[in-house]
Amino acid sequence: MSATHPTILVVNAGSSSVKVSVYAVPEAAHANADINPVLSAHGQIEGIGVSPRLSASMADGRIVADERFPVAQVADHDAAFRLIRLVLSIGLRDAPPVAIGHRVVHGGADFSAAVKIDDDVITKLEALIPLAPLHQPHNLTAIRAVRAAVPALLQVACFDTAFHAGHDPLAQLLALPYEYFERGIRRYGFHGLSYEYIARRLQQIAPDLAQGRVIVAHLGNGASLCAMRDGRSVESTMGLTALDGLPMGTRCGAIDAGAILWLSQQGMSTKDIETMLYQESGLKGLSGVSSDMRALLASDAPRARLAIDFYAYRAAQEIGKLAATLGGLDALVFTAGIGANSPPVREKICARLADLFGISLDAGANNENRQRISRDNSRVPVLVLPTDEEGMIALNTARIMMEHHARA
Ligand code: ADP
């Protein structure tokens, strides 16, 4: 990290973790639209309120901190955030941040691009909490913590929904009475920062494919698919909330709305239903073993196998659905924790797509997580591209920072 380079912090506050990355924005970028923020350090606290563990390292791999804390000391996100700032401040002494970019899961109908945060923005984001109960409150806690500590610092919200903002109205509709659509009850789509990064990456490594009909499978703890045409999102499996679409680590994915009515009729409260659908379902609920794909792959339990098979079944089914939206398929891209690292899961999904798309995987390339994992004669090429949501937030934040400085 150089003292001459402006520094940006990227904050990704999840349900039980806060991750902070430090980026330097090279000077040359000021005169040039092609900004290229460079990662210089990363810190995170996992297990907030359960078994807090702080780790921080420089981009060259040097470990700055690795420590467990008593629960009482890191009981909530506020405390976690203060602790990370303290550790990173050692590395930031020569280059205090000029802006902070936050991952914000839901931008609703109001935000179709990253935005400078002010009181009005915070009020609008607070109203969206019920639509993203697992993430939005923590995103806002981080924003408020910074505002309280350094009120003048530029803060930028980068939304998981923004990349999908151009969807055709047909892709946004829920077949409820139309007045609800006008009130913002519509299908938005999420994981947009990841998809925006993959769209850019694909443009760099395979511009011919990037211009075509591409389905990207973001398979992490959360999971969704994005259908892209010419690098732009046209459809996603997630909708009004990040609960829709594929089954996930602990989330149910798409289910019959009648099942929710039934749960309610059985006397379950809305809060209990929410907890079950967001935190007790998906791989965890089906397997009874774990929400973690690595643990399921290592398990002999029959229901662990069932959960993995269902996961692949649903992913393949939804890929077929999105291909119908695109009118065909020119490339399939896997990304995120499972997508980028799990050969058996990719293999199971692609095996189900062999007849429909003529997909044929190269077993060796798949086992090594190579960039291209399909054989040369595969009708649809299959790629593995690690995602970089933090890098995308840094880029969006740097752009707004420069606009802000140009105006000042
Ligand atoms: P998040 O959505 O929280 O960012 P990640 O993208 O890190 O999550 O994905 C976490 C998932 O990736 C977990 O289910 C984990 O088991 C899985 N994963 C990570 N590495 C591997 C691997 N080598 N093989 C199988 N699954 C993996």
Side-chain angles (χ1 to χ4, degrees):
M1 187 184 342
S2 159
T4 58
H5 294 166
T7 300
I8 287 175
L9 289 193
V10 168
V11 178
N12 185 351
S15 51
S16 66
S17 68
V18 177
K19 300 175 185 166
V20 178
S21 305
V22 184
Y23 285 83
V25 184
E27 294 294 342
H30 283 276
N32 190 331
D34 207 17
I35 311 163
N36 186 21
V38 180
L39 180 70
S40 57
H42 176 78
Q44 64 182 48
I45 292 194
E46 294 164 295
I48 296 170
V50 188
S51 63
R53 179 179 175 181
L54 167 81
S55 53
S57 55
M58 306 309 284
D60 61 12
R62 207 157 25 97
I63 291 175
V64 186
D66 188 2
E67 212 175 322
R68 289 186 184 278
F69 287 84
V71 175
Q73 218 172 319
V74 194
D76 56 24
H77 284 66
D78 239 346
F81 193 68
R82 276 199 304 274
L83 201 60
I84 296 185
R85 278 210 65 178
L86 191 72
V87 171
L88 289 176
S89 67
I90 300 164
L92 290 172
R93 223 176 354 232
D94 295 334
V98 291
I100 300 201
H102 293 266
R103 177 183 193 175
V104 177
V105 163
H106 216 310
D110 285 317
F111 302 108
S112 56
V115 65
K116 175 178 178 289
I117 295 170
D118 58 22
D119 288 340
D120 181 48
V121 170
I122 292 178
T123 305
K124 286 180 172 145
L125 297 183
E126 278 169 345
L128 295 167
I129 287 176
L131 298 183
L134 216 56
H135 301 94
Q136 196 91 342
H138 305 305
N139 305 156
L140 282 159
T141 299
I143 290 169
R144 284 195 218 93
V146 176
R147 231 165 141 71
V150 211
L153 188 58
L154 172 68
Q155 295 201 79
V156 175
C158 302
F159 302 101
D160 271 311
T161 45
F163 187 63
H164 306 292
H167 283 185
D168 186 277
L170 288 180
Q172 298 181 42
L173 280 174
L174 292 163
L176 295 172
Y178 190 76
E179 69 198 72
Y180 287 92
F181 178 79
E182 291 170 323
R183 287 167 59 185
I185 303 304
R186 45 182 94 163
R187 298 185 58 245
Y188 292 97
F190 295 85
H191 290 135
L193 294 158
S194 174
Y195 293 129
E196 188 180 358
Y197 174 81
I198 296 292
R200 286 171 61 91
R201 188 82 190 100
L202 202 58
Q203 181 62 41
Q204 288 163 355
I205 63 163
D208 49 332
L209 292 181
Q211 281 159 20
R213 299 159 298 182
V214 178
I215 292 177
V216 182
H218 175 109
L219 308 179
N221 279 318
S224 72
L225 305 175
C226 178
M228 294 181 196
R229 191 184 290 119
D230 198 12
R232 278 189 282 277
S233 172
V234 297
E235 181 56 282
S236 160
T237 53
M238 280 181 169
L240 172 68
T241 69
L243 199 55
D244 203 2
L246 305 179
M248 305 170 220
T250 62
R251 283 173 255 168
C252 58
I255 57 168
D256 181 344
I260 298 165
L261 295 178
W262 183 83
L263 292 171
S264 170
Q265 284 153 4
Q266 298 306 298
M268 271 179 88
S269 69
T270 309
K271 193 74 206 157
D272 287 347
I273 295 174
E274 180 185 291
T275 302
M276 188 173 111
L277 301 184
Y278 275 94
Q279 290 169 27
E280 304 295 337
S281 297
L283 293 174
K284 182 181 173 190
L286 285 176
S287 70
V289 173
S290 173
S291 64
D292 193 293
M293 185 58 89
R294 273 170 299 197
L296 297 184
L297 289 165
S299 168
D300 297 331
R303 282 208 281 126
R305 193 178 179 84
L306 176 74
I308 300 169
D309 285 346
F310 181 69
Y311 189 85
Y313 168 74
R314 287 285 297 122
Q317 202 172 44
E318 294 285 316
I319 288 169
K321 189 174 94 179
L322 291 202
T325 302
L326 289 169
L329 185 61
D330 298 315
L332 175 62
V333 180
F334 286 98
T335 193
I338 298 169
N341 299 298
S342 184
V345 174
R346 291 193 300 255
E347 204 272 324
K348 277 175 185 291
I349 295 171
C350 288
R352 290 184 173 276
L353 300 171
D355 290 344
L356 183 58
F357 297 119
I359 282 177
S360 168
L361 281 196
D362 175 331
N366 186 39
N367 283 336
E368 290 169 17
N369 299 318
R370 270 192 238 148
Q371 192 171 85
R372 195 182 182 112
I373 59 170
S374 50
R375 290 180 209 268
D376 288 346
N377 66 356
S378 181
R379 192 142 47 84
V380 172
V382 184
L383 287 85
V384 172
L385 298 176
T387 193
D388 184 6
E389 291 156 295
E390 267 90 12
M392 210 58 236
I393 296 170
L395 181 58
N396 283 323
T397 303
R399 282 184 183 146
I400 292 201
M401 177 186 85
M402 280 164 195
E403 283 168 25
H404 183 73
H405 285 172
R407 250 184 265 125

